[in-house]
């Protein structure tokens, strides 16, 4: 790729690449930008944002033969919800892991590549053995749990408060999975 520019700004991290005619613009907003854009003054309805807590670590452990949920050790998504008084809505996507076939050596390679390059290169194959292009033919179902209340805004939640909300979040996610 030619002319790649990655920069930090008050609006987040942005990456621009390509020429003027065929450029690509991606932005990864910071927490402050997300919150500023999804919260509204009292009495007005705002937007909600979806967060995939597992992120790259969950992608690196993906396995088509089992289900797995990975959570970050510091539980930033719980802290963020507590700081802004925004309830959590657990969801599980059934069939997502089976959309592509994974391999043990591929998981090892992808974890090594992530440590060395910082890129989540996950070697997978789909239908007809094609890499990444065509997913396996599977049913995918998104199942939503009940909202997990975090209470009013808490600018500096304690570890105990984070753990308490996290345990309720996991219990609701487990309930969704088991039903």
């Amino acid at each position: 790729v030619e002319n790649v520019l990655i920069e930090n700004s008050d609006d987040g991290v942005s990456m621009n690449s390509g020429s003027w005619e065929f450029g690509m613009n991606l932005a990864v907003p910071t927490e402050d930008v997300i919150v500023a854009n999804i919260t509204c003054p009292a009495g007005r309805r705002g937007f909600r944002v979806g967060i995939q807590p597992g992120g790259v670590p969950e992608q690196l452990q993906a396995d088509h033969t089992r289900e797995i949920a990975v959570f970050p050790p510091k539980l930033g998504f719980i802290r963020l919800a507590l700081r802004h008084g925004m309830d959590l809505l657990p969801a599980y996507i059934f069939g997502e892991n089976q959309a592509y076939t994974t391999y043990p050596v591929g998981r090892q390679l992808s974890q090594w590549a992530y440590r060395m390059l910082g890129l989540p290169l996950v070697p997978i194959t789909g239908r007809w053995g094609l890499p990444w292009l065509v997913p396996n033919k599977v049913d995918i179902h998104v199942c939503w749990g009940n909202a997990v209340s975090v209470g009013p805004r808490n600018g500096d939640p304690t570890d105990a408060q984070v753990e308490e909300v996290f345990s309720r979040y996991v219990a609701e996610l487990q309930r969704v999975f088991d039903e």
Side-chain angles (χ1 to χ4, degrees):
V1 176
E2 294 181 25
N3 303 325
V4 174
L5 171 66
I6 300 175
E7 59 187 0
N8 288 314
S9 71
D10 291 338
D11 293 331
V13 178
S14 62
M15 179 177 78
N16 302 306
S17 65
S19 66
W20 287 102
E21 295 94 21
F22 303 104
M24 172 177 67
N25 237 339
L26 300 174
V28 180
T30 61
E31 175 188 337
D32 293 338
V33 171
I34 290 172
V35 172
N37 286 297
I38 64 171
T39 57
C40 294
R44 292 186 52 201
R45 293 179 55 103
F47 296 98
R48 300 288 188 227
V49 64
I51 298 175
Q52 179 190 9
V56 171
E58 190 169 282
Q59 292 173 14
L60 295 176
Q61 294 184 39
D63 184 341
H64 71 281
T65 64
R66 66 189 174 111
E67 300 295 328
I68 186 169
V70 175
F71 296 100
K74 294 183 181 180
L75 301 175
F77 76 105
I78 301 283
R79 290 182 193 283
L80 179 62
L82 283 163
R83 279 200 301 266
H84 299 285
M86 300 186 88
D87 293 346
L88 296 163
L89 186 62
Y92 197 87
I93 305 172
F94 292 93
E96 178 183 33
N97 286 348
Q98 292 71 36
Y100 292 94
T101 304
T102 59
Y103 305 93
V105 69
R107 281 189 293 284
Q108 293 170 347
L109 175 65
S110 64
Q111 289 171 3
W112 175 85
Y114 187 67
R115 281 193 309 274
M116 300 306 285
L117 306 172
L119 297 171
L121 305 173
V122 182
I124 55 176
T125 58
R127 198 177 324 171
W128 308 301
L130 294 174
W132 294 291
L133 298 175
V134 182
N136 294 319
K137 189 173 183 175
V138 297
D139 291 331
I140 295 180
H141 301 275
V142 179
C143 295
W144 301 94
N146 297 315
V148 175
S149 175
V150 301
R153 292 177 188 227
N154 179 349
D156 191 20
T158 66
D159 289 345
Q161 291 167 322
V162 170
E163 286 295 330
E164 189 274 327
V165 170
F166 179 62
S167 68
R168 290 190 287 121
Y169 179 88
V170 170
E172 181 59 17
L173 188 61
Q174 184 69 53
R175 185 193 67 74
V176 168
F177 184 83
D178 290 341
E179 284 188 354

